[in-house]
Amino acid sequence: MDLSLSTRNVSGPSGDRTVVEVGGEIDVYTAPKLREQLVELVNDGSYHLVVDMEGVDFLDSTGLGVLVGGLKRVRAHEGSLRLVCNQERILKIFRITGLTKVFPIHTSVDEAVNATD
Amino acid sequence: MATVELRFSAQPEHVRTARLVAAAVARRAGVDEAVLDEVRLAVGEACSRAVGLHRSNGVLTPVRVVLTEEEKSFSIEVGDEVPGAGVAAADAVGVPGARDEAPAEEFDDADGEDEMGLAVIRGLVDDVEVRAGEEGGVIRMTWPTTPAVALP
């Protein structure tokens, strides 16, 4: 399955958040598309991102690299990048690479949008 | 003898094919369903790494994936043809002595993403072996299998 991407803006208590809904497989072939999307959002001034990974079937280290790159970009603008994920097999990849300490991971888009820390 | 052998040109779009084939053969070999996700991810990481190495070093030969069903185990070997490239991999997974076997010439090993790929493999697979040689590197991963119940 290919990668699908869609974005929408949602207002939260700390301001607008851009939700990026990702579906399909994020791997060495499709990760560049996600990278382009994140770069484009930051270039357009969206510095608070919520990446919704509930529709992701597969994630590898290339995808992790893209998310880390996105985090680096938004942080340069004092922004944030939060993830939404409840899938154990995807969470496992964040755990074994130690990235659960780097990304705030939420159980729903609402929770991520309303996070204020 | 290999159960299934796969060669694909070093293009990112073919890594998915390698994942699908590896998971299908692993399932048939009796690898536990719960572990198939790990097989898929680990073989994908190893193939992504090999594709990256071939491309960054201008190697035009295909990436090789060898799937072997043994009596109580299932193994996958992913081989690249970049001389010495396995050295960093061996170091990363802590294989002693690997560096001594590697040729001395310069090679362009991949960047941080490569290390993250290896970290994922190491985190997922208990039995990992990395070999480096003049013809390239091989990552060998092995999983236990449960023998199929004989049908009447």
Side-chain angles (χ1 to χ4, degrees), chain A residues 68-94:
Chain A
V68 171
L71 182 66
K72 208 170 121 189
R73 282 193 169 78
V74 295
R75 278 192 178 162
H77 298 277
E78 290 170 7
S80 61
L81 194 158
R82 295 174 181 279
L83 304 175
V84 177
C85 182
N86 292 297
Q87 301 186 67
E88 186 47 41
R89 59 179 180 175
I90 305 284
L91 291 171
K92 184 175 182 179
I93 306 161
F94 285 95

Side-chain angles (χ1 to χ4, degrees), chain B residues 38-135:
Chain B
E38 295 174 10
V39 172
R40 205 174 283 128
L41 183 55
V43 76
E45 295 293 352
C47 288
S48 302
R49 178 175 180 278
V51 166
L53 284 168
H54 276 217
R55 288 167 74 87
S56 58
N57 290 278
V59 174
L60 301 173
T61 50
V63 170
R64 196 177 68 253
V65 183
V66 179
L67 310 164
T68 309
E69 187 180 340
E70 278 144 36
E71 208 178 320
K72 286 174 182 165
S73 66
F74 174 71
S75 70
I76 301 180
E77 284 192 6
V78 177
D80 62 69
E81 295 193 6
V82 179
V87 184
D91 281 353
V93 294
V95 176
R99 188 171 286 280
D100 307 334
E101 297 166 26
E105 67 254 45
E106 295 271 316
F107 64 91
D108 176 16
D109 207 351
D111 45 21
E113 261 175 30
D114 173 53
E115 283 167 33
M116 189 130 71
L118 288 164
V120 170
I121 293 173
R122 186 169 47 166
L124 284 175
V125 191
D126 295 333
D127 188 349
V128 187
E129 204 181 294
V130 181
R131 296 198 297 272
E134 279 172 37
E135 279 106 50

Side-chain angles (χ1 to χ4, degrees), chain A residues 93-114:
Chain A
I93 306 161
F94 285 95
R95 272 201 297 273
I96 61 176
T97 50
L99 290 173
T100 42
K101 296 186 193 82
V102 175
F103 291 103
I105 301 178
H106 299 273
T107 54
S108 71
V109 171
D110 272 357
E111 187 189 296
V113 168
N114 289 306

Side-chain angles (χ1 to χ4, degrees), chain A residues 5-107:
Chain A
L5 291 168
S6 69
T7 62
R8 64 181 191 276
N9 288 315
V10 179
S11 293
S14 310
D16 278 358
R17 298 289 180 262
T18 304
V19 178
V20 184
E21 203 177 301
V22 190
E25 302 187 337
I26 312 176
D27 73 352
V28 66
Y29 179 51
T30 61
K33 290 174 205 163
L34 179 61
R35 182 185 289 121
E36 274 167 35
Q37 173 79 82
L38 296 178
V39 168
E40 198 178 300
L41 286 168
V42 173
N43 288 346
D44 292 345
S46 303
Y47 304 141
H48 290 279
L49 308 178
V50 172
V51 180
D52 179 359
M53 306 193 50
E54 284 300 272
V56 172
D57 303 312
F58 181 87
L59 173 76
D60 73 2
S61 63
T62 330
L64 292 176
V66 168
L67 292 171
V68 171
L71 182 66
K72 208 170 121 189
R73 282 193 169 78
V74 295
R75 278 192 178 162
H77 298 277
E78 290 170 7
S80 61
L81 194 158
R82 295 174 181 279
L83 304 175
V84 177
C85 182
N86 292 297
Q87 301 186 67
E88 186 47 41
R89 59 179 180 175
I90 305 284
L91 291 171
K92 184 175 182 179
I93 306 161
F94 285 95
R95 272 201 297 273
I96 61 176
T97 50
L99 290 173
T100 42
K101 296 186 193 82
V102 175
F103 291 103
I105 301 178
H106 299 273
T107 54

